[in-house]
Amino acid sequence: MVTPEQIKTWIAAGLLCEHLELAGDGQHFEAVIVSAEFRGKSMVQQHQLVYRALGERMKEQIHALSMKTYTPEEWAAR
Amino acid sequence: MSIQDTIRDQVSQHKVVLYMKGTPQFPQCGFSANAANILRACGVTDFFSVNVLADPEIRQGIKEFSNWPTIPQLYVNGQFIGGSDILTELYQKGELQKLLVA
């Protein structure tokens, strides 16, 4: 079974994150992701960057991943 | 006609298209149910929905078409808007409502 820690490691390996939170029960996961790479990108493009980092794992191992993405500026302003 | 052509036709011929698991009446996944409920909350009742569970080719094809690995997926005026998380966020900001009347 996939753990939140594993998903965290996979995302961090493919995307430079300033802050990364992962929670989940093995089926459904929730992530909060803060990355400078999100600057100037639409929400769709931001999520695509995360999906790209996860690659094939999105198809097989991860059933459901909810995410909230923030630029460092958006995160600081929360 | 290729599956990509079929999808291109669907999203260009209908203003609002939701690719989902199940139907709006009987969604078979919580995220798909959420997407359909948000559309209804925006006052959109007659959107074109595609049950990807009934068509494996569409299920795979839409992921490639949108470069997006998950279902549901919403298209408005031929443009990919996002999945369940993005719809929720746009709805909460009041932006989805504007997109749907445009």
Side-chain angles (χ1 to χ4, degrees):
Chain A
M1 186 149 78
V2 177
T3 66
E5 277 307 314
Q6 281 177 299
I7 297 181
K8 196 170 174 176
T9 308
W10 294 334
I11 293 174
L15 182 70
L16 196 60
C17 300
E18 316 216 337
H19 179 85
L20 188 51
E21 290 171 32
L22 239 301
D25 59 5
Q27 287 293 317
H28 294 82
F29 299 93
E30 291 181 8
V32 176
I33 305 156
V34 183
S35 172
E37 293 187 45
F38 293 156
R39 286 188 186 124
K41 296 202 164 60
S42 70
M43 255 192 291
V44 166
Q45 291 168 328
Q46 292 175 354
H47 286 218
Q48 279 170 333
L49 281 177
V50 179
Y51 288 140
R52 196 178 65 189
L54 290 169
E56 294 293 310
R57 295 184 175 105
M58 263 328 284
K59 292 181 188 162
E60 304 292 334
Q61 291 160 275
I62 305 171
H63 168 66
L65 172 67
S66 283
M67 61 177 117
K68 281 190 180 279
T69 52
Y70 301 92
T71 63
E73 293 74 22
E74 288 167 341
W75 182 247
R78 281 175 85 246
Chain B
M1 192 157 78
S2 78
I3 203 71
Q4 298 295 307
D5 290 333
T6 303
I7 292 169
R8 195 169 292 113
D9 278 1
Q10 288 172 337
V11 301
S12 56
Q13 285 169 9
H14 303 274
K15 180 179 166 67
V16 181
V17 185
L18 181 64
Y19 293 88
M20 64 182 293
K21 292 180 179 175
T23 63
Q25 291 72 32
F26 298 102
Q28 293 186 42
C29 159
F31 296 100
S32 288
N34 180 54
N37 286 338
I38 286 175
L39 285 179
R40 284 202 207 94
C42 292
V44 182
T45 49
D46 63 343
F47 56 90
F48 186 77
S49 72
V50 179
N51 178 4
V52 301
L53 295 180
D55 192 333
E57 278 194 81
I58 294 270
R59 184 179 185 174
Q60 184 53 38
I62 189 64
K63 293 178 182 181
E64 291 158 12
F65 188 81
S66 312
N67 185 25
W68 195 261
T70 57
I71 307 291
Q73 297 187 16
L74 179 73
Y75 277 81
V76 178
N77 294 325
Q79 199 197 345
F80 177 54
I81 305 301
S84 176
D85 292 337
I86 291 179
L87 296 195
T88 302
E89 205 165 327
L90 290 175
Y91 174 65
Q92 286 168 352
K93 289 180 184 167
E95 291 174 15
L96 186 63
Q97 294 86 325
K98 289 178 203 159
L99 275 173
L100 288 165
V101 296

